[in-house]
Amino acid sequence: NRLTSFGSGSESSGLAAALGAIAQGEGGGDALAELADRLVRVDPAAHEGVCRAGRRSFPRDPRFARGLAIAAERAQNPGLAAAHMAAAVELQPDDQRTLRGAIDASLQWLTQELGADDVEPGRRAYELAASLLGQWRARYAGQLPPVASSDLEEAAAQLELAVGNLDGARTHLERA
C-alpha cells in the first residue's frame, strides 16, 4: 500500500506529503533527484514514486523524466520508456547522453514491436527514432550516432513485412 500511493499525490500518503515537503524546501529538486538516485537500485518502486513526485513538482527538470524512463524500462514498457526519454531530450536538448538514451529506448521499443499484430506502435517507435536520429545529426554532425540509419530502416522494413506491407518494406529497404 505504501508504494502504491508513493509519489502519486494521495492526500492520505504520509510519504507523498514528505516528498512534497522535500520538493518545496530549498534545493528541493536536487534533494529529490539525489533521493531518486539512492533508491534506483534498492527500491525501484520508491524510485519511481520519487521521480513521479519530482516530475510533478519540477516539470522542467529532465532528471525526473530520465528516472521515469528507467522505471518504465524495468517494467518492460519500452514505449513508455522511450516517451519519457524523448521528454527528457525536449527539456535538455543539448545533452548528448540523454539524446543517446532516447535513441536507444526508441529502437528498443521498435524491436519489441516486430511481429506484433498491431503495427501502429512500431510505426510510432520508428518515427520517434528517426526524429531523434535527425536531431543527433543536426547537433553532432561529426560523431557517429548510437545506431546506424540502415539498422533503423531494416527494422522498420521487418515491421512492415510482418503485416504484409510490401511497399512500405521496400521504401524502408531503399532508405537503408
Side-chain angles (χ1 to χ4, degrees):
N1 189 16
R2 166 182 81 89
L3 296 178
T4 303
S5 62
F6 193 58
S8 67
S10 170
E11 293 294 326
S12 63
S13 170
L15 291 171
L19 287 176
I22 291 171
Q24 294 187 13
E26 190 172 318
D30 291 336
L32 280 179
E34 183 179 336
L35 179 59
D37 287 344
R38 290 174 186 243
L39 290 170
V40 69
R41 287 188 177 81
V42 295
D43 193 341
H47 166 259
E48 181 179 1
V50 170
C51 289
R52 227 182 294 125
R55 187 83 166 107
R56 190 174 40 258
S57 297
F58 303 97
R60 304 290 311 150
D61 191 326
R63 296 176 293 186
F64 302 112
R66 285 192 303 264
L68 288 170
I70 291 168
E73 187 177 292
R74 276 206 170 126
Q76 298 180 349
N77 188 339
L80 185 58
H84 284 304
M85 285 304 297
V89 168
E90 286 182 30
L91 294 170
Q92 196 173 24
D94 295 328
D95 185 63
Q96 186 178 32
R97 184 181 65 121
T98 299
L99 182 54
R100 178 182 299 278
I103 293 169
D104 290 342
S106 61
L107 188 61
Q108 182 179 359
W109 179 24
L110 173 58
T111 302
Q112 179 180 322
E113 295 299 328
L114 294 178
D117 292 335
D118 182 5
V119 72
E120 288 309 313
R123 287 176 177 155
R124 286 192 304 273
Y126 165 79
E127 291 298 326
L128 178 59
S131 171
L132 292 166
L133 273 174
Q135 290 178 44
W136 180 279
R137 283 188 212 99
R139 289 188 183 109
Y140 308 108
Q143 298 180 32
L144 288 175
V147 63
S149 295
S150 59
D151 292 342
L152 175 63
E153 295 298 337
E154 287 175 11
Q158 289 176 21
L159 180 79
E160 297 300 339
L161 278 174
V163 295
N165 182 359
L166 298 179
D167 289 337
R170 184 177 302 114
T171 299
H172 287 293
L173 287 174
E174 288 170 355
R175 287 186 207 149

